[in-house]
Amino acid sequence: MSLQKILLSEATMSGIDYQTLKTIVNLCNMPSAIMSVEKNKDGSCGEIRMVATNDKFSMTGENVEGLTYDAKLKRDPKFEDILFKAAWNNEHYHSYVDTSRLYGYWTEDIIIPIDNNGDEKTGYCQFIYKLSKEMEAGRYSIISPDIASFVIRTCINLRKDEDFYTTMNTVTKDIREFTDSFAASIMTVSKDLYRFEVVSESVRNNLKNLHDVFANIPYEVVESWEDLVSGTDCIIIRNEEDMKDFESKAPAWVRTLRDNDVKNLCLAPFMHQNMIIGYLYITNFDVSQMARFKDTIEMVAFFLASEVAHHIFVDKLKTLSSLDLRTGVQNRNAMNTKVDELALELRMTKTPFSVAFCNLITLRTVNIQQGHDAGNNLLSDAGQILRDIFKNDFIYRSNGEEFAIISTNSTEKSFEEKVKELKEKANDPNWVFFTIGYYTDMTEGNIHQAMRFANEYEQEFKEDFYYNHPDFVK
């Protein structure tokens, strides 16, 4: 017996015959399918199948009737929840959401309950959808008044004359309260700079500091999210079952969720020019309201994306204006600005600090003997060594082969240990070799004087190097 006949037989026993369902779905002039939704013994959603479909739903002509819905559509817990509520709670559903990353289109979804004539195991609903290549603003009129009000309020807040971080904190607080979640956060991701930033947070009763939480999470964890959202428009973790599913795909990330007592989560990406530039991160919300607030979050994320993109663009301009691209450390202009700031601060409050000058004494010889491409590679390696050793300090390329380091959070001993490590790692006269002079100021608070002393000491080591290596170019 064919699967279609089996379905016909089962439907007839429940008082709903296949031909009736087929007639209903064929009357629709948009892609449509009748879904059968089973209810498990514990009252949860069971298997969902496409019982009857029209020709527009199949598109390719392939007969998908009788197959589980994920044979045609991407599996989505939120979609399953909506179908279950339509089939068993008689709830209608109508939404317009951005699924352009998933399907290349915006999607208008309509789900209508169908009476199951008292069947205690299987319910039915009709699923109808329409695709549009571009976002149609008028379609937003279909959303409910409370969601529309929230989205409008968010857009108004985004237009306020406040700095980016203040605005994002206001929006994040509104999102957390709207979703009745424990915590919400907005973060940006800069793949080219290999970093992410938590730009805002809101936590119920301020019980946690999300900046501190994410400070202990490596970039690789955040980077892994991109693969996870590639098959959907928004990640939803509803319960332990979903958590275990994601644990098999991203164990390092799920470990951080468990460590921070996250039971459920919504992760919505910000898209700009087909790239993920950030995320809206919401944890421990009311799962029963998931379908309602997920649509809201997707719409809010759409509008937030443009604000985040603008912030990243401005921030990148600032970074590039102060960054030495050859070495990855800051440039001389950034050093001059920092020195002026510290000079003023130290005049008011004299606190210990250390400075060092490091001369990449092999650069000129490598440029002459091996060419400027080799010299650029040498600069890159030298910059990486400095960044690895002086992670929490200010590092500058003060001129062609000279680097300056300013440390305001190291003790005299710990700074000396860093200098010792640098001497060990940059001691190759054929490649990376630094001559180093450093000075620690404990009481004077005179940064210009300290830099002069450090530079003079470095000059002495430079002369010693040339004396011992007469073949090197001065």
Side-chain angles (χ1 to χ4, degrees), residues 34 79 90 92 107 120 129 142 225 233 239 255 266 397:
I34 304 295
F79 183 64
N90 200 38
H92 294 69
T107 305
E120 295 182 358
Y129 72 86
I142 66 178
W225 299 345
D233 53 338
N239 48 37
R255 194 178 307 118
C266 174
R397 187 182 179 190

Side-chain angles (χ1 to χ4, degrees), residues 84-182:
F84 183 80
K85 289 180 177 178
W88 289 100
N89 298 344
N90 200 38
E91 294 184 14
H92 294 69
Y93 180 79
H94 193 179
S95 72
Y96 182 64
V97 293
D98 180 8
T99 54
S100 54
R101 185 166 186 265
L102 187 57
Y103 300 118
Y105 294 87
W106 283 71
T107 305
E108 180 180 359
D109 293 334
I110 303 168
I111 298 175
I112 304 169
I114 295 177
D115 188 358
N116 68 350
N117 289 336
D119 191 330
E120 295 182 358
K121 183 181 178 182
T122 305
Y124 297 89
C125 59
Q126 182 176 10
F127 168 57
I128 306 167
Y129 72 86
K130 180 181 179 182
L131 301 177
S132 53
K133 193 68 176 176
E134 303 294 336
M135 189 271 283
E136 300 175 35
R139 295 288 181 182
Y140 280 117
S141 62
I142 66 178
I143 63 177
S144 63
D146 63 326
I147 293 178
S149 175
F150 179 77
V151 173
I152 290 170
R153 186 168 79 246
T154 299
C155 292
I156 291 173
N157 285 331
L158 291 175
R159 300 272 72 81
K160 286 184 177 179
D161 188 20
E162 295 179 328
D163 71 272
F164 175 76
Y165 293 95
T166 300
T167 298
M168 292 299 107
N169 276 316
T170 299
V171 170
T172 303
K173 182 175 181 292
D174 287 346
I175 290 171
R176 187 190 63 77
E177 293 177 349
F178 183 82
T179 58
D180 192 24
S181 56
F182 174 76

Side-chain angles (χ1 to χ4, degrees), residues 346 349-354 407-410 412 440-443:
L346 292 168
T349 306
K350 292 179 173 58
T351 56
F353 65 94
S354 298
S407 178
T408 57
N409 56 13
S410 299
E412 183 176 11
T440 297
D441 184 315
M442 300 299 294
T443 58

Side-chain angles (χ1 to χ4, degrees), residues 242-274:
D242 290 345
M243 191 77 75
K244 288 180 179 178
D245 181 45
F246 279 97
E247 193 167 29
S248 65
K249 304 171 186 174
W253 176 39
V254 173
R255 194 178 307 118
T256 68
L257 298 181
R258 295 191 187 281
D259 289 345
N260 290 282
D261 199 33
V262 173
K263 304 300 183 185
N264 55 57
L265 173 140
C266 174
L267 183 68
F270 300 139
M271 302 299 301
H272 180 69
Q273 296 179 347
N274 295 320

